Amino acid sequence: MAEISEEPPNPIPPQPQHTHQPSESTIRKAKPGLKRLTLTLSVLVSFIFAFPFLYKSVEIHRAPLPFREIDSLSSQIGSSNNHPSLSFPCHFQAIFVNFNNSNAETLESLIFDELTKLTSNTTSQCSTLSVKLVNSGPIWSLIGAVDFGNGDESVDEALAGVLGGEKVYSVVVVKGKSEEVKGVVGKYRHGWVVGRVSEVEAAERVAEMFVKVFVNGGKEEGFIHGEFMPVGADGRIVLSFNLLNSNPHDWVYDWDFQAIDDTLLAPIIKALGPVANISVESQVLYHTPKSSFSFWDDKRKGYIFSTKDLPFFVNSNEWHLDTSIAAGGRSKILQFVVYIPSAKECPLLLQLPNGEISKTNGFISPMWGGVIVWNPQGCLKDSESQHPIRQTISRQDLQKVFEVFMGQFRQLFGLKSDSHYFGSSGTYSLLASEKGFSEWELDFLARRHTCFNLHSCATTLGSLSRLVQSLPRMIIMDEIGKQVKYSLEAANLAQRNASLGLYDASAVSSRQARSLAEDAFFHPSIMSVSYYSFEHCFAVYSH
Amino acid sequence: MEAKEQSKKKELWYWNWLIGSVALRVILIYFSNNLNLASRPEISTPLTSLRRLAEGYWLKQSSMSPYAGSMYHGSPLLLSLLGPLTAKRIEGQPDHILCSLVFVIADVASAMFIRATGRNLQIAYGQSLKFLDLVKLSEKSDILPSGDIAALVYLWNPFTIVACVGLSTSPVENLAIILSLYGACRRIAPLAAFGWVMATHLSLYPVILIIPMILLLGYGPDTPPRKLFLQRKYVEVGDTPSNDRCQQGEAVDQPELPYVFSWRPVIHFLFWTSLWLVYVLVLCGVSVKQYGGLWELFKRTYGFMLTVQDLSPNMGVLWYFFAEVFDFFRNFFLIVFHGNILFMILPLAIRLKHRPFFLAFVYIVISSMLKSYPSVGDSALYLGLLGLFVNELADMKFSFFLFCGYIGVSLLSPVMHNLWIWRGTGNANFYFATAMAYACLQIILVVESVSAMLNHDRKLRKLSATKVLDGKT
């Protein structure tokens, strides 16, 4: 730098006899000696000495991801979008009472043919199909002793006492004297048909109960849409119960939520344990008007709002429902709202499209939650006092409200609350359980959620592997590699458990697999880089 | 007589200006609340902020570790020294008045030491010229009293005033560095060792000053290249071969030959360094015994400086790299920035070993440019030391450009910071642009000053060579 600092040639002649004569005194005449070489070498040596450290600090650490296993999982789970299928073994048990025992094998093959006919046309989940006919042995004699003339509940309990230990779906066919044939599905894993049935008809009914009710959950396709799978990506659901006093100047209501939580909600939460990890929160809100309008109807003596107003009922501006800490994470929050209208709109009634007034006075919004409108008794307002006293909703009213909640909760999971199933060979009445879900319904939910979770896990892992392979210079931390590994292990475990018929265990493993896959894909260290655009290298941040 | 009167006038002039600067500082301490100097990132960094020291002291008084919570990252000795002063409040006076007075005293002491060092350097320069028989040069041009000028530049530099009034601990760090350089110039080994140990202990980067200090102690203050002395000596010897032995004896008898490296002061210095180092480590160990010991102390102070954990904006360039651009390759960038300081050490030492004080100046500029949390206190130091070389660097190019550049950057930088942080109409790029301009200015300063110094040496060599030729013929 100093050596080449000659003055550039300029048109003005240089100043004569400047005292220091910079140009002359700065140009060296001798050749550069050893000192310059030493200087250069010293810089080079220091650089070479530091080079290994520099190199090590820029190496990109990519944890190895098992791409082949991810691809094989994707192909195993199935590529079809709407009907993910996972195969479960279907083993059934049919118990015939009061039939003559001579043609047991033909009966068995009859039932088996019916089963195959029913499962062949739809996209079936059954990997293996087998039916066992029981017409002798201790179980048969115990069942023979049960009195089928009693009420359905007691018959159900009695049968549960006999069959309760096993996890096989059973149907008991009793040849009775009455002309009318009755089919009932119990709360556990069995059902029964009573009446004067021929063997062929009995076989049809049995097969229908097995396939349509037990395997397909009482739904036509045996399949739940994605909008009825309210479980969050980390396998948790938060149930948020809100009591909304729309105008506290009219009346203020409170509820004893703790008692209800202990008695009604706890068994349900325990029952749904394999499907989702549920936690419950509750709050009471004031000054929460709704944003739709209702009109007075003389005939029904109430203010009517119709199904057309439902999209506008929930007033997100003034209903501060999302105060949960879980709102920021990946858990799914389902809001259950009890709306108490103001005196100007009391009683508030929901009119269904067919003109009738809804009995439950509530509605659901899939993947969001449900709303129930509760009108205070007689709509009496304490008009004298400025500040109304706080009243508590009575226990019976609260119980009724929570029964409606249970129905809404079942609907949010895609299950209907009809008490009858209308099949092709006859109608069956479905018994309701105090846990909210009967055991065969829980099995059905576990199976469907397993399928859904495994499908989602395979999709996420597939996207992750494609992303990682497309960005070769992205750093992959060890944690992501571990999460992918555990996710694949959980998915394999879920598939194995499913093939063995262990629905609960497979649901838990599939939940874990999905949660780990989501954690890996949405890991903070790759989230910022996956949206990296090439223009950023040139400091173009326009979009 | 006339010379004595002139020198007395000069003394008076100097002392007037010194008292003036002290008065200005005191006035600003009392009346500068609106300027918010203590909260500007250019002045107070996470390492030098007095507010953080006060917080560390309060934590210590509540029997917690002063490093808890990542507020204070300095030395525990400074905490014991300045901490009690921050806690004392006097009615009716501005906050931290006692600490401000301590900083003013530190500034004045630094100025005095700079002046003494400048005097020493000038005497050495005069001696070298006399030895080289270039006395005409010294009498011909008006040699300015570099010590006085440098001391006044240091005192009246707006950067120094602002660093002093703005409650940053830079004046104390600068005092330690200047103390060490003064001790090395005067070959007072204990003082030099104390200064170096304190400077390294307070802020890590003065550790590289050990090389110029060893050179100062061994060779003495700055001189023209030693080749010239050897040429001179051989010329004198070779001229009269008959009086060979006589001349050699005469040459050897001359005191303080500047081209012989004397090991005794260096050994003394190393001995005193180890003594002071052990003492400081023992004191620190005692202070932080309950809070994790010395390893924790090193992690929190030097580890913090080297790993740049706090990315709040400052006048340096490191924060932008990690906050906005490249957090992945953090290790790489840390190695590059600190390695640049280390790479410069050896070549500069080889090239400028005959001018160890100037070498120290260049090291200070480079380290204050590339350190992790630079502030205006660091540039106050080297701008003051630059004044010691007014005679050698008279021909420096771009001096006006640098002067305007410094003024421009120091005016624009607070404006850009305000636009970015307080009004929200700018973004980090605005502020980083001024930081980059500041770094460029410092680079130009270093490059031009080194080249001007080398040109000066070349000129001396030329003059000496012509002298020798004249002498021969």
Side-chain angles (χ1 to χ4, degrees):
Chain A
M1 301 160 299
E3 270 67 33
I4 55 171
S5 61
E6 302 176 35
E7 308 242 1
N10 43 1
I12 311 166
Q15 302 280 355
Q17 281 314 308
H18 195 242
T19 324
H20 295 286
Q21 288 182 351
S23 50
E24 272 200 13
S25 62
T26 54
I27 303 176
R28 60 184 298 147
K29 299 216 170 32
K31 270 169 64 163
L34 209 54
K35 189 184 274 190
R36 198 181 288 197
L37 183 66
T38 326
L39 285 173
T40 321
L41 279 181
S42 70
V43 176
L44 189 65
V45 161
S46 344
F47 182 69
I48 289 176
F49 178 68
F51 184 71
F53 298 104
L54 279 176
Y55 187 71
K56 185 141 197 321
S57 65
V58 293
E59 70 177 1
I60 299 177
H61 176 67
R62 280 167 78 93
L65 291 184
F67 297 119
R68 262 209 311 268
E69 279 86 352
I70 296 176
D71 289 335
S72 71
L73 180 72
S74 303
S75 53
Q76 266 171 28
I77 300 291
S79 54
S80 57
N81 280 338
N82 279 331
H83 298 269
S85 61
L86 196 68
S87 304
F88 298 88
C90 305
H91 299 298
F92 302 115
Q93 187 174 275
I95 304 163
F96 278 69
V97 177
N98 294 349
F99 281 81
N100 46 359
N101 297 337
S102 53
N103 39 9
E105 287 79 23
T106 48
L107 206 52
E108 221 177 71
S109 56
L110 245 180
I111 299 177
F112 192 78
D113 290 337
E114 286 293 321
L115 282 174
T116 342
K117 207 165 48 170
L118 281 175
T119 57
S120 60
N121 44 9
T122 58
T123 55
S124 119
Q125 320 169 46
C126 285
S127 57
T128 59
L129 204 60
S130 78
V131 62
K132 189 172 80 161
L133 189 72
V134 174
N135 51 7
S136 59
I139 298 180
W140 185 81
S141 46
L142 278 171
I143 290 183
V146 171
D147 180 9
F148 283 90
N150 285 345
D152 286 339
E153 303 279 331
S154 47
V155 171
D156 196 26
E157 293 297 325
L159 282 177
V162 177
L163 295 166
E166 310 175 30
K167 290 219 166 185
V168 182
Y169 295 116
S170 332
V171 176
V172 179
V173 183
V174 180
K175 193 160 195 172
K177 296 180 206 50
S178 64
E179 195 52 53
E180 177 199 342
V181 181
K182 187 170 76 158
V184 182
V185 179
K187 298 196 291 272
Y188 302 94
R189 291 188 177 91
H190 54 257
W192 63 95
V193 180
V194 181
R196 192 141 27 139
V197 288
S198 67
E199 288 181 354
V200 173
E201 201 187 326
E204 277 179 12
R205 279 205 165 223
V206 162
E208 191 173 35
M209 202 184 274
F210 278 143
V211 175
K212 286 283 167 29
V213 178
F214 287 138
V215 174
N216 285 353
K219 303 172 81 71
E220 259 324 302
E221 319 130 329
F223 161 71
I224 307 180
H225 286 279
E227 60 181 12
F228 290 106
M229 302 261 194
V231 182
D234 55 358
R236 307 171 68 92
I237 306 180
V238 176
L239 299 180
S240 168
F241 290 90
N242 311 283
L243 179 66
L244 260 49
N245 292 290
S246 75
N247 192 353
H249 294 300
D250 298 334
W251 37 64
V252 179
Y253 277 93
D254 195 2
W255 59 5
D256 184 10
F257 188 79
Q258 190 66 37
I260 290 287
D261 188 22
D262 292 334
T263 51
L264 286 183
L265 287 178
I268 301 168
I269 290 170
K270 197 153 149 266
L272 276 178
V275 172
N277 188 349
I278 304 181
S279 58
V280 174
E281 299 175 349
S282 76
Q283 61 177 342
V284 180
L285 296 177
Y286 308 95
H287 294 287
T288 52
K290 69 182 197 337
S291 47
S292 69
F293 296 106
S294 58
F295 59 92
W296 171 259
D297 186 316
D298 261 338
K299 193 167 64 164
R300 298 193 174 86
K301 291 278 186 293
Y303 290 87
I304 303 289
F305 69 105
S306 66
T307 49
K308 283 198 287 291
D309 295 322
L310 290 184
F312 309 102
F313 195 90
V314 174
N315 185 359
S316 311
N317 284 333
E318 298 188 45
W319 294 12
H320 298 293
L321 299 173
D322 289 332
T323 53
S324 164
I325 310 170
R330 295 205 204 108
S331 314
K332 183 87 193 118
I333 303 185
L334 291 176
Q335 315 277 5
F336 289 103
V337 172
V338 178
Y339 181 76
I340 302 181
S342 60
K344 290 199 296 290
E345 285 187 315
C346 181
L348 191 60
L349 304 167
L350 171 64
Q351 187 178 40
L352 297 171
N354 59 6
E356 287 178 9
I357 294 292
S358 151
K359 287 200 242 339
T360 57
N361 222 15
F363 61 95
I364 65 157
S365 169
M367 296 301 261
W368 181 83
V371 177
I372 299 174
V373 178
W374 183 77
N375 298 305
Q377 195 71 295
C379 292
L380 290 170
K381 177 176 158 174
D382 194 3
S383 50
E384 271 76 38
S385 74
Q386 192 73 324
H387 299 284
I389 49 170
R390 173 173 296 207
Q391 306 168 53
T392 312
I393 302 182
S394 69
R395 198 169 163 88
Q396 298 92 310
D397 287 337
L398 203 57
Q399 190 114 354
K400 281 203 269 247
V401 164
F402 268 81
E403 282 168 13
V404 179
F405 269 146
M406 266 324 300
Q408 289 184 337
F409 194 43
R410 284 170 56 95
Q411 277 185 307
L412 286 170
F413 270 94
L415 299 171
K416 293 219 207 338
S417 298
D418 295 342
S419 52
H420 285 87
Y421 174 69
F422 301 98
S424 54
S425 8
T427 63
Y428 307 87
S429 83
L430 309 169
L431 293 184
S433 154
E434 69 273 1
K435 286 194 290 195
F437 297 89
S438 42
E439 303 233 340
W440 56 270
E441 282 178 333
L442 288 173
D443 285 347
F444 171 65
L445 281 180
R447 288 197 297 266
R448 287 264 63 100
H449 275 84
T450 306
C451 283
F452 180 74
N453 289 338
L454 284 176
H455 185 71
S456 161
C457 166
T459 319
T460 310
L461 287 178
S463 311
L464 178 67
S465 84
R466 275 194 301 279
L467 175 72
V468 163
Q469 282 170 323
S470 71
L471 292 175
R473 298 194 63 76
M474 180 166 81
I475 297 180
I476 314 275
M477 298 175 61
D478 285 333
E479 202 184 354
I480 299 180
K482 264 196 277 211
Q483 280 168 339
V484 170
K485 190 172 83 129
Y486 291 148
S487 172
L488 284 171
E489 274 172 17
N492 285 332
L493 183 65
Q495 281 180 304
R496 266 206 307 277
N497 282 339
S499 63
L500 290 174
L502 305 167
Y503 307 123
D504 290 351
S506 72
V508 170
S509 311
S510 70
R511 230 173 58 208
Q512 247 181 347
R514 179 179 174 212
S515 143
L516 285 166
E518 297 268 332
D519 283 342
F521 189 72
F522 290 107
H523 197 269
S525 73
I526 61 174
M527 283 251 35
S528 53
V529 185
S530 48
Y531 300 115
Y532 189 80
S533 97
F534 187 60
E535 284 88 11
H536 288 353
C537 286
F538 307 115
V540 175
Y541 304 114
S542 52
H543 51 83
Chain B
M1 186 63 187
E2 198 184 290
K4 224 178 170 182
E5 225 182 76
Q6 211 180 29
S7 71
K8 232 173 122 184
K9 227 168 54 164
K10 271 192 184 168
E11 281 284 321
L12 208 61
W13 167 80
Y14 171 74
W15 280 102
N16 279 343
W17 279 103
L18 187 132
I19 292 173
S21 79
V22 171
L24 177 66
R25 280 171 167 76
V26 171
I27 291 174
L28 279 178
I29 288 172
Y30 275 89
F31 294 112
S32 72
N33 273 336
N34 287 346
L35 288 175
N36 276 332
L37 289 173
S39 54
R40 290 190 185 272
E42 292 92 354
I43 298 170
S44 68
T45 65
L47 297 175
T48 60
S49 165
L50 193 72
R51 203 167 39 93
R52 287 176 180 248
L53 193 144
E55 166 116 6
Y57 180 68
W58 184 87
L59 284 171
K60 191 140 184 248
Q61 294 299 96
S62 328
S63 45
M64 282 192 278
S65 164
Y67 302 107
S70 181
M71 272 297 266
Y72 181 62
H73 295 281
S75 140
L77 302 182
L78 200 64
L79 196 63
S80 320
L81 190 68
L82 288 178
L85 295 178
T86 59
K88 239 198 255 285
R89 251 161 239 287
I90 304 180
E91 277 300 318
Q93 310 283 348
D95 290 342
H96 301 301
I97 181 80
L98 291 171
C99 289
S100 312
L101 289 178
V102 168
F103 294 145
V104 170
I105 294 173
D107 267 351
V108 170
S110 311
M112 309 284 283
F113 280 118
I114 290 180
R115 187 175 186 229
T117 316
R119 235 184 237 167
N120 205 347
L121 285 176
Q122 225 170 359
I123 293 173
Y125 188 51
Q127 269 184 350
S128 325
L129 287 183
K130 209 166 10 182
F131 191 67
L132 287 178
D133 222 7
L134 291 172
V135 186
K136 233 180 4 182
L137 182 70
S138 65
E139 280 175 4
K140 192 163 54 159
S141 48
D142 197 11
I143 292 201
L144 301 163
S146 57
D148 293 353
I149 291 181
L152 289 178
V153 162
Y154 182 78
L155 279 177
W156 280 91
N157 191 355
F159 287 168
T160 330
I161 297 179
V162 142
C164 173
V165 172
L167 296 177
S168 87
T169 58
S170 316
V172 178
E173 294 173 14
N174 294 348
L175 175 65
I177 296 176
I178 291 171
L179 206 63
S180 68
L181 290 174
Y182 170 73
C185 264
R186 293 289 298 267
R187 283 175 156 167
I188 307 175
L191 187 64
F194 174 70
W196 183 76
V197 165
M198 287 316 293
T200 309
H201 178 67
L202 290 176
S203 63
L204 180 62
Y205 293 90
V207 70
I208 56 177
L209 291 177
I210 189 152
I211 293 175
M213 284 179 62
I214 289 181
L215 289 172
L216 269 174
L217 289 164
Y219 281 127
D222 289 5
T223 57
R226 270 171 270 294
K227 259 201 299 208
L228 304 184
F229 295 110
L230 291 173
Q231 271 178 1
R232 196 85 200 149
K233 186 177 130 196
Y234 287 137
V235 155
E236 283 175 10
V237 166
D239 223 8
T240 55
S242 52
N243 322 3
D244 203 55
R245 275 167 222 258
C246 231
Q247 287 285 16
Q248 265 189 1
E250 201 179 301
V252 161
D253 280 346
Q254 273 188 2
E256 308 248 346
L257 286 171
Y259 52 91
V260 171
F261 192 83
S262 50
W263 279 101
R264 277 193 70 217
V266 176
I267 305 278
H268 270 178
F269 168 72
L270 291 174
F271 168 70
W272 277 102
T273 313
S274 46
L275 219 61
W276 283 116
L277 206 60
V278 163
Y279 186 51
V280 163
L281 283 177
V282 162
L283 282 180
C284 289
V286 164
S287 323
V288 296
K289 198 164 50 168
Q290 308 151 278
Y291 311 123
L294 275 180
W295 181 243
E296 182 72 20
L297 170 74
F298 288 151
K299 222 167 42 158
R300 292 290 196 146
T301 52
Y302 300 145
F304 176 78
M305 282 186 219
L306 290 176
T307 56
V308 192
Q309 287 159 4
D310 190 318
L311 295 181
S312 46
N314 49 48
M315 292 218 78
V317 295
L318 220 52
W319 60 274
Y320 188 82
F321 276 91
F322 295 142
E324 298 276 347
V325 186
F326 292 121
D327 200 36
F328 295 131
F329 299 116
R330 180 174 257 263
N331 286 341
F332 173 70
F333 280 104
L334 284 174
I335 293 178
V336 164
F337 275 96
H338 290 124
N340 260 317
I341 303 179
L342 295 175
F343 286 175
M344 293 285 144
I345 292 181
L346 200 52
L348 281 170
I350 295 176
R351 193 70 182 86
L352 289 172
K353 62 181 188 296
H354 58 281
R355 289 190 178 272
F357 201 85
F358 186 68
L359 182 68
F361 164 73
V362 174
Y363 281 174
I364 291 174
V365 179
I366 291 177
S367 73
S368 75
M369 181 169 68
L370 294 170
K371 71 194 298 196
S372 32
Y373 301 100
S375 71
V376 291
D378 305 317
S379 51
L381 175 64
Y382 67 73
L383 287 175
L385 292 179
L386 185 65
L388 287 173
F389 305 107
V390 277
N391 295 313
E392 290 95 338
L393 296 182
D395 279 337
M396 193 166 99
K397 292 205 286 256
F398 302 129
S399 47
F400 184 65
F401 169 71
L402 285 172
F403 179 69
C404 295
Y406 268 95
I407 292 182
V409 166
S410 55
L411 289 176
L412 269 182
S413 176
V415 170
M416 294 302 174
H417 187 254
N418 190 353
L419 275 182
W420 174 29
I421 303 276
W422 296 107
R423 290 174 195 260
T425 54
N427 59 35
N429 298 328
F430 288 45
Y431 191 65
F432 184 61
T434 52
M436 273 206 297
Y438 185 62
C440 281
L441 288 174
Q442 286 172 308
I443 292 173
I444 295 176
L445 177 70
V446 165
V447 166
E448 287 307 321
S449 61
V450 170
S451 80
M453 187 59 86
L454 294 177
N455 284 344
H456 180 80
D457 282 342
R458 241 171 246 127
K459 188 187 71 176
L460 282 181
R461 190 169 72 212
K462 207 160 180 63
L463 286 171
S464 166
T466 46
K467 242 336 190 285
V468 166
L469 279 174
D470 286 344
K472 267 196 178 153
T473 56

